[in-house]
Amino acid sequence: MKKNIKKILIANRGEIALRVIRACRELNIKTVAVYSEVDRAGLPVQYADESVYLGPAEARESYLNIDKIIEIAKKLKCEAIHPGYGFLAENFQFARKCEKSDIIFIGPNSKSLKLVGDKLRSRDMMAKASIPLIPGMNDVQNDLKDLKKIAGKIGYPVIIKASGGGGGKGMRIVRKPEELLPGVEAGRREAKAAFGDETVYLEKYIEKPRHIEFQVLADNYGNSVHLFERECSIQRRYQKIIEETPSPALDDELRHRMGETARRVIELSGYNNAGTVEFLLDEDKNFYFLEVNARIQVEHPVTEMVTGIDLVKQQIEIASGNKLALKQQDLKQRGHAIECRIYAEDPENNFYPSYGKLLLVKEPQGPGIRCDSGIYTGLEVPYHYDPILSKLIVWDENRKRAIQKMKIALSDYIILGVKTQIPFLLDILDHSEFKSAKLHTHYIAEHFAKWIPAKTPENRHLALLAAALMKMNREKKGVKTESRTSLSPWQLLGRWEIFSR
Ligand code: MV4
């Protein structure tokens, strides 16, 4: 069962590929990066020990090309593949092909991956084990007349979900009986097109829940621990943008109950490696199991900051067949961590993706500041993939200080050349309901529906100003006055106050 992993292929790109390469280096494991046509200049290609061209930009021909990736892993004698998040991370056929090729898939076994990907089947299994679930259906129901009866029993509003979906894809809310059947028909078509499975089911719709998830690690021998929660209620169109831990909504007693429930969900699913158990928490603090995310998640760093545990290294240790070295009673949460996702999106233009060459990148630094990114000055941001540029994570002793640190770090983060939603993030952090932690999944829809950015100077104007200041500095030096600084305005950029915020 134990296997010495000496080389890992990273079947991903961008910040998460770099994150995995860093963990491998620390464990003395060689790395192979794979890259598409538009990622030749990406940092993973530079950081990995070897890199192999995969194919054209389209994900189907590169990062989703199962046979090609396995072929490269075999050829270069990689004992394991790390899928990161997205792309092939939750594809049980990929996991199964790895298993059949005697390559370790760094993630759960394919059988349990298939189970947790089938929301209706896992709902049914959890119901039988008395895991708290939102009232709704636990089996496939094809007769539309029956559906109407079931919805009546559940009580409106109900939510239609795709069994093969997840993460909000293919969901619709139904508030009146006459909207049910058209909703189900549309939902089925959508689910069929998106996941190749038209199965949908109904649940009672919970208004304004909090989204709280628990990080779990499980080894190959039935041992598991949870590494506490992350609160991910701040999202926009199912895209999380701010995550934090601990959740201000939990006390130790509720945290303990939810954490133990999460471990049971993982054990019942026969799950191994790192996984996340998602819950909704309603306004009366009842929690309900939603689904298992079978991957390392985008927001994993906040858990690392408060527990001091490197989750990617744990994933590799587990995949190598080592027993979990962590014991639940030894795990503690220390301080508070917040993550902001930085996307190449234009908040002034309905968050439309913004692509192009990065003219200047300057990342914040300081105690308790972590920046997981794959960007640098001069990099061309391709439009073919998820527009995430970077993740800014801060740690401090409590929530208030962490928010303060995040505001400073965001203001120091300079990205010129593409638009980012940094101004939007800053306004959320400044909002009174955020400060008092009154969070829920409709927070942005409720408080920021009509958000417009404060007038900030355009990059072109900044460039002109920078040139003017540089000239001034040179002239000062020329007459030998005591110059305040010999730094160029570009180096000082984050400190400019042109308009007051
Ligand atoms: C819900 C819900 C309300 N009631 N289910 C969205 C992601 C997917 N994992 C489940 N989701 C939801 N399921 C019931 N019965 C509200 C959401 C939801 C949501 C959940 C987590 C994070 C953001 C969200 C945004 C809108 C809706």
Side-chain angles (χ1 to χ4, degrees):
M1 261 304 232
K2 272 192 74 156
K3 188 155 182 180
N4 192 9
I5 298 179
K6 295 186 292 284
K7 201 197 262 189
I8 294 177
L9 182 148
I10 295 110
N12 215 301
R13 62 181 301 281
E15 70 86 17
I16 193 63
L18 275 182
R19 169 72 188 84
V20 175
I21 293 171
R22 291 202 167 96
C24 291
R25 278 184 158 177
E26 290 178 31
L27 294 172
N28 247 318
I29 295 171
K30 296 270 183 247
T31 51
V32 176
V34 289
Y35 59 94
S36 76
E37 184 65 50
V38 289
D39 282 336
R40 286 179 188 281
L43 289 177
V45 174
Q46 304 300 316
Y47 268 61
D49 295 298
E50 294 170 84
S51 45
V52 181
Y53 173 71
L54 261 183
E58 297 79 72
R60 204 169 297 283
E61 301 197 53
S62 50
Y63 300 105
L64 291 174
N65 190 337
I66 292 180
D67 292 332
K68 186 93 185 263
I69 289 168
I70 291 184
E71 181 196 307
I72 295 168
K74 277 187 191 161
K75 196 166 154 212
L76 298 192
K77 299 194 163 54
C78 301
E79 292 88 2
I81 298 181
H82 196 301
Y85 54 71
F87 296 122
L88 296 171
E90 291 172 275
N91 184 316
F92 77 88
Q93 277 142 343
F94 178 60
R96 199 165 57 195
K97 275 204 176 166
C98 289
E99 286 163 3
K100 292 220 165 103
S101 311
D102 204 24
I103 292 169
I104 298 170
F105 173 79
I106 304 180
N109 63 84
S110 62
K111 190 165 165 253
S112 127
L113 185 50
K114 186 171 183 204
L115 168 66
V116 302
D118 183 338
K119 309 297 178 235
L120 202 46
R121 191 151 75 92
S122 60
R123 234 185 101 85
D124 184 45
M125 177 186 260
M126 297 312 152
K128 289 180 172 129
S130 302
I131 299 291
L133 292 177
I134 299 166
M137 286 163 53
N138 295 337
D139 50 18
V140 183
Q141 201 51 261
N142 287 318
D143 196 327
L144 296 182
K145 276 201 294 304
D146 291 342
L147 274 182
K148 209 145 188 183
K149 223 186 283 165
I150 293 166
K153 242 189 255 165
I154 294 171
Y156 289 86
V158 298
I159 183 167
I160 305 168
K161 294 186 176 180
S163 185
K169 273 176 245 129
M171 300 189 339
R172 36 177 36 86
I173 299 151
V174 179
R175 295 192 178 272
K176 300 184 212 116
E178 58 269 29
E179 292 166 0
L180 183 70
L181 296 189
V184 167
E185 273 159 17
R188 280 193 179 153
R189 271 197 307 274
E190 221 176 279
K192 175 103 187 157
F195 320 110
D197 174 3
E198 63 164 18
T199 312
V200 298
Y201 63 102
L202 303 179
E203 274 178 9
K204 173 90 190 158
Y205 179 63
I206 311 225
E207 311 267 3
K208 297 197 191 179
R210 284 175 179 253
H211 172 108
I212 293 176
E213 57 185 32
F214 273 72
Q215 177 68 55
V216 178
L217 291 172
D219 68 17
N220 304 346
Y221 313 98
N223 308 300
S224 73
V225 291
H226 74 79
L227 291 95
F228 311 102
E229 78 281 9
R230 294 184 284 262
E231 168 142 17
C232 313
S233 298
I234 305 293
Q235 59 84 34
R236 209 188 139 268
R237 298 200 195 145
Y238 302 120
Q239 196 186 53
K240 297 168 185 167
I241 56 177
I242 301 178
E243 302 101 345
E244 63 181 295
T245 187
S247 163
L250 304 192
D251 58 23
D252 284 343
E253 187 272 328
L254 182 53
R255 176 172 293 117
H256 177 76
R257 276 195 292 133
M258 292 178 78
E260 290 308 307
T261 305
R263 283 171 76 181
R264 274 197 70 215
V265 167
I266 289 296
E267 283 166 22
L268 287 163
S269 310
Y271 191 99
N272 58 323
N273 214 285
T276 298
V277 181
E278 272 188 18
F279 296 100
L280 289 185
L281 185 70
D282 70 16
E283 288 169 287
D284 300 322
K285 304 233 167 161
N286 300 303
F287 68 87
Y288 308 93
F289 165 68
L290 269 187
E291 59 187 71
V292 174
N293 297 146
R295 58 175 186 273
I296 188 79
Q297 285 193 278
V298 176
E299 59 271 29
H300 78 276
V302 291
T303 298
E304 298 186 320
M305 302 288 266
V306 301
T307 61
I309 288 161
D310 184 315
L311 291 169
V312 180
K313 284 201 269 183
Q314 288 290 327
Q315 283 193 294
I316 297 169
E317 294 291 352
I318 291 169
S320 307
N322 293 324
K323 266 179 69 177
L324 257 186
L326 306 168
K327 296 270 173 282
Q328 189 67 54
Q329 64 267 24
D330 298 336
L331 297 169
K332 298 251 165 348
Q333 292 169 295
R334 186 169 160 264
H336 199 98
I338 307 177
E339 173 180 278
C340 283
R341 299 189 190 187
I342 319 276
Y343 290 103
E345 289 176 347
D346 183 358
E348 293 188 57
N349 184 14
N350 201 24
F351 295 85
Y352 202 77
S354 170
Y355 299 103
K357 202 188 196 70
L358 298 172
L359 300 176
L360 183 71
V361 175
K362 194 178 137 240
E363 298 191 326
Q365 295 181 339
I369 294 177
R370 167 174 170 181
C371 197
D372 279 25
S373 85
I375 56 172
Y376 60 86
T377 300
L379 180 73
E380 188 93 34
V381 180
Y383 59 85
H384 305 77
Y385 315 109
D386 191 73
I388 195 163
L389 288 176
S390 161
K391 305 181 317 204
L392 179 56
I393 306 105
V394 304
W395 180 93
D396 212 317
E397 59 194 63
N398 59 43
R399 187 170 191 269
K400 194 169 177 208
R401 292 197 172 194
I403 293 173
Q404 173 68 1
K405 186 174 282 182
M406 179 60 89
K407 288 190 342 200
I408 294 168
L410 279 173
S411 325
D412 280 351
Y413 206 152
I414 306 303
I415 300 175
L416 301 183
V418 302
K419 296 285 177 76
T420 75
Q421 19 71 302
I422 288 176
F424 185 60
L425 291 165
L426 279 166
D427 281 1
I428 295 173
L429 295 172
D430 249 337
H431 191 248
S432 66
E433 309 270 292
F434 183 84
K435 283 188 247 182
S436 59
K438 293 196 191 75
L439 312 179
H440 56 81
T441 56
H442 297 71
Y443 178 91
I444 287 176
E446 188 172 304
H447 301 296
F448 288 85
K450 296 197 185 85
W451 180 83
I452 41 160
K455 225 33 220 146
T456 52
E458 289 204 6
N459 292 344
R460 192 166 50 89
H461 299 158
L462 282 178
L464 289 171
L465 203 52
L469 283 171
M470 208 182 307
K471 186 163 179 285
M472 249 166 55
N473 275 348
R474 270 206 212 106
E475 281 167 0
K476 258 196 223 156
K477 269 185 234 144
V479 294
K480 290 207 162 46
T481 49
E482 218 179 296
S483 174
R484 181 169 87 85
T485 174
S486 58
L487 295 176
S488 85
W490 296 113
Q491 288 167 301
L492 292 170
L493 203 50
R495 290 286 304 147
W496 286 8
E497 295 280 340
I498 295 172
F499 296 94
S500 60
R501 280 190 215 284

